[in-house]
Amino acid sequence: MTDPSDEAKQIEKLYEFGERLNEAKDKSQNVKDYEGIIEAAKTSLKAKQLAAQLIPRFFKFFPDLSSRAVDAHLDLIEEEELGVRVQAIRGLPLFCKDTPEYLSKIVDILVQLLAAEEIVERDAVHKALMSLLRQDVKASLTALFKHIGSVDEPSTDEFIREKVLSFIRDKVFPLKAELLKPQEEMERHITDLIKKSLEDVTGAEFRMFMDFLKSLSLFGEKAPTERMKELIGIIEGQADLDAQFNVSDADHIDRLISCLYMALPFFLLPEERKLDLLKALAEISPYTTPQDSRQILPSVAVLLKKYMPLRKTGGEEMNFTYVECLLYTFHHLAHKAPNATNSLCGYKIVTGQPSDRLGEDFSDCYKDFTERLTTVEDLTRATMKKLTQGLADHNKEMAAAKTDEAKEKIKTQKQNTTTGLRTCNNILAMSKPLHSKTPSFIGDKSVNLSWKEATKPSVPSTTTASGGKRPASINGSGNTASKKGRGSGGLQNQLVNRALEGISRGGRGGIRGRGRGWGARGRGRGYR
């Protein structure tokens, strides 16, 4: 234990060093004084606390002593006495005030200290990091995001990584208006940092980052279309919509649910991508939770009404595969949350829950929905007649074909026609039970999606109600390497509500993954 008289002398000596340095015009000449301060950091408790203030204050004037000064200060940060540690942490930002080359190192030190158990110590760390962000937001953000990691530079300490993410979410994101200046430059910088980090994230992290990006003016209401496409591209980086669906891979299912639900509000996908999204929704629907089902059903019901014509006008075209996808999705989601359809379609399904809403009149919804079903069935039967005749014509053409090239072309046409017939049969099978006031929703595998039975990818084609052809609807499939990963269920209602805006005629394509998606972050931290 330090003798009180010795401690008093040490403190007095420190004050002398500090006063002389304060008064000196050319402080770099007072090397002995600064060395004295560094040495005092190894003495008594109160001397250490004062040294923790003085070392960073005069640091910039003594570059030759920088290593000794930093080492002494780091020793103070590791002191057992909380008061010393807190004072040393508070002094860290001063090292960078006029020597910005130290900023990244100081951020690294503070990041490690985010794991501190004492509240007052963690608070000091947070304030020190915020001070650095205000000094140089670009360099500080770059240093922080380095600890989140990416595919190329994975984070080695998962606990620290989690702490950094929490700090960014709780302290940085809420102050974006203050910190991200100049706005356009810094919003672009943090977007680029986030995009790199998204190569290796959990579902919760992905949703957190996406919510933040959508809050930036860079992607706001007045943002040009290419910015919205950039957001879609980020979602595309997380989902392989045309990868082989793996029902035994829970991570794959979770990831798809998260990405698909997130993609719906931004239905600004290129036309050729929209069908893949709806196909993936159909394939994933048997595996969704009741909670997810209840949340997505309103969007699916409205989309169904959009794509199922109210009445035949003689010139309309119906995208049969869209309707097949949506009916299949509707059945499987409604099977898990049946009474949610009461207000959506006017059904009378009794579960005994307040959400049944049986006391309300939804008869207009029922009338509208069933009329659309009838129109769909009429159009489907008419199309099946044409497809059946087309199949007979293909057989005749095949018999008359002279060359292998002609035969191959006819074979492709037959495949498309056969798939079209499967699509039509599925639509009729799924629409029939929906006419009842208390329908039975298909929750099993009795309906096989038309494209799942296709034996060979072929040139996509669409048969319309009027008997013509247009590219990319009834048939089409794609393949990319399957990507495992950790996704999330869950869904934010405001996202779903906006899902209905802008969805229009589509085709097929694929959302291709990049990096590891959530593969390396499969730590069971799904976002709910």
Side-chain angles (χ1 to χ4, degrees):
M1 186 174 180
T2 306
D3 187 280
S5 60
D6 289 342
E7 186 175 62
K9 289 177 183 177
Q10 291 162 0
I11 295 296
E12 185 178 351
K13 200 71 174 172
L14 271 171
Y15 275 119
E16 288 179 12
F17 294 150
E19 285 175 9
R20 279 201 296 269
L21 281 165
N22 268 328
E23 294 168 1
K25 290 183 178 180
D26 183 0
K27 294 177 176 35
S28 62
Q29 298 301 310
N30 294 55
V31 176
K32 294 295 183 184
D33 291 328
Y34 194 61
E35 286 180 328
I37 292 171
I38 293 172
E39 290 304 313
K42 303 172 185 176
T43 56
S44 65
L45 182 62
K46 290 185 178 179
K48 288 176 180 178
Q49 285 182 292
L50 183 54
Q53 298 177 49
L54 297 175
I55 289 174
R57 184 183 302 175
F58 301 109
F59 176 74
K60 65 178 180 180
F61 301 109
F62 304 97
D64 292 341
L65 297 176
S66 60
S67 294
R68 284 178 59 190
V70 171
D71 287 345
H73 201 85
L74 292 180
D75 288 341
L76 296 176
I77 286 173
E78 295 176 359
E79 276 288 324
E80 289 186 14
E81 178 60 39
L82 177 62
V84 175
R85 296 203 306 272
V86 170
Q87 191 63 60
I89 290 167
R90 289 172 179 166
L92 283 173
L94 293 175
F95 281 100
C96 315
K97 196 167 185 180
D98 295 289
T99 50
E101 63 271 21
Y102 281 90
L103 189 141
S104 182
K105 294 179 182 178
I106 298 301
V107 169
D108 289 346
I109 293 167
L110 287 166
V111 160
Q112 300 304 314
L113 296 173
L114 284 170
E117 295 181 1
E118 297 288 346
I119 294 175
V120 65
E121 190 172 1
R122 284 203 309 273
D123 185 58
V125 173
H126 290 167
K127 288 179 177 176
L129 281 169
M130 292 307 298
S131 176
L132 290 174
L133 282 160
R134 290 183 173 98
Q135 282 183 38
D136 188 336
V137 64
K138 190 171 188 177
S140 297
L141 284 174
T142 302
L144 276 172
F145 271 84
K146 183 178 67 176
H147 293 274
I148 298 174
S150 66
V151 170
D152 296 331
E153 300 177 33
S155 174
T156 54
D157 191 321
E158 289 297 303
F159 182 69
I160 293 299
R161 178 183 181 276
E162 210 167 286
K163 293 295 182 182
V164 172
L165 281 165
S166 296
F167 175 78
I168 289 172
R169 180 193 64 218
D170 299 335
K171 303 295 182 180
V172 178
F173 285 175
L175 294 178
K176 64 178 184 294
E178 174 193 344
L179 295 175
L180 300 182
K181 294 180 179 178
Q183 188 181 54
E184 186 172 351
E185 177 188 340
M186 288 315 304
E187 285 191 358
R188 171 46 60 192
H189 181 65
I190 197 169
T191 296
D192 291 342
L193 291 173
I194 287 172
K195 286 170 71 174
K196 187 173 183 181
S197 299
L198 286 176
E199 294 172 1
D200 189 10
V201 291
T202 66
E205 293 159 5
F206 180 53
R207 181 62 62 89
M208 174 191 79
F209 281 131
M210 286 301 295
D211 286 346
F212 174 71
L213 289 178
K214 287 181 290 181
S215 75
L216 298 178
S217 61
L218 196 68
F219 302 103
E221 292 181 4
K222 297 180 180 179
T225 304
E226 56 265 25
R227 295 271 173 80
M228 301 313 294
K229 287 181 179 178
E230 183 177 356
L231 279 183
I232 288 296
I234 293 172
I235 297 173
E236 291 174 1
Q238 298 297 319
D240 294 321
L241 294 187
D242 53 359
Q244 182 64 42
F245 185 70
N246 185 358
V247 298
S248 65
D249 185 354
D251 285 345
H252 186 72
I253 292 172
D254 282 347
R255 178 162 56 85
L256 270 177
I257 291 172
S258 181
C259 286
L260 295 176
Y261 289 0
M262 201 177 299
L264 279 177
F266 301 105
F267 223 84
L268 299 170
L269 283 167
E271 292 299 315
E272 71 275 8
R273 302 285 178 102
K274 291 182 181 178
L275 183 56
D276 271 340
L277 186 144
L278 293 180
K279 281 184 175 180
L281 270 175
E283 290 186 36
I284 204 75
S285 61
Y287 309 98
T288 56
T289 65
Q291 178 188 4
D292 289 334
S293 299
R294 187 173 295 276
Q295 287 177 313
I296 197 65
L297 259 172
S299 295
V300 173
V302 175
L303 290 176
L304 259 176
K305 292 173 186 178
K306 181 178 181 67
Y307 287 110
M308 296 195 306
L310 184 57
R311 58 186 58 87
K312 290 189 291 183
T313 61
E316 70 283 316
E317 293 182 352
M318 188 175 82
N319 190 314
F320 287 85
T321 315
Y322 272 30
V323 173
E324 179 193 11
C325 290
L326 289 165
L327 281 173
Y328 188 90
T329 302
F330 180 81
H331 269 282
H332 281 279
L333 299 183
H335 180 73
K336 292 166 187 162
N339 66 343
T341 64
N342 292 352
S343 60
L344 298 174
C345 308
Y347 292 138
K348 298 287 184 181
I349 297 173
V350 181
T351 65
Q353 299 297 318
S355 52
D356 288 348
R357 298 178 68 178
L358 294 176
E360 301 177 58
D361 183 11
F362 297 110
S363 55
D364 288 345
C365 290
Y366 176 76
K367 183 174 182 290
D368 177 87
F369 194 68
T370 52
E371 282 183 7
R372 291 178 186 277
L373 287 170
T374 300
T375 302
V376 164
E377 289 164 344
D378 290 344
L379 291 170
T380 302
R381 290 189 187 99
T383 300
M384 287 182 75
K385 186 176 180 180
K386 293 171 183 175
L387 288 172
T388 303
Q389 180 59 50
L391 203 57
D393 292 341
H394 293 327
N395 289 333
K396 292 177 183 178
E397 291 167 1
M398 181 66 81
K402 302 295 185 184
T403 65
D404 290 342
E405 184 181 353
K407 290 179 180 178
E408 190 64 32
K409 183 179 179 181
I410 296 166
K411 185 179 177 183
T412 298
Q413 291 172 342
K414 283 183 64 177
Q415 288 174 341
N416 289 339
T417 302
T418 302
T419 301
L421 283 168
R422 283 200 296 264
T423 296
C424 291
N425 279 317
N426 283 346
I427 290 172
L428 292 177
M430 291 186 287
S431 64
K432 184 178 179 181
L434 296 180
H435 284 281
S436 170
K437 279 264 186 180
T438 55
S440 297
F441 300 114
I442 299 168
D444 55 24
K445 303 296 176 62
S446 59
V447 174
N448 295 313
L449 291 163
S450 60
W451 63 89
K452 299 297 286 185
E453 296 182 5
T455 56
K456 179 180 177 182
S458 57
V459 178
S461 67
T462 296
T463 304
T464 69
S466 58
K469 299 270 187 180
R470 64 188 171 90
S473 181
I474 280 188
N475 186 28
S477 63
N479 286 295
T480 60
S482 179
K483 177 176 64 178
K484 292 175 66 176
R486 162 64 55 200
S488 65
L491 171 66
Q492 294 187 348
N493 287 329
Q494 63 267 32
L495 296 185
V496 181
N497 293 336
R498 284 162 44 206
L500 317 173
E501 301 172 7
I503 186 169
S504 60
R505 292 181 302 277
R508 72 151 312 280
I511 291 189
R512 288 150 178 83
R514 64 183 172 83
R516 287 182 294 174
W518 297 327
R521 300 288 171 199
R523 298 168 291 193
R525 294 187 291 169
Y527 189 90
R528 296 280 173 187

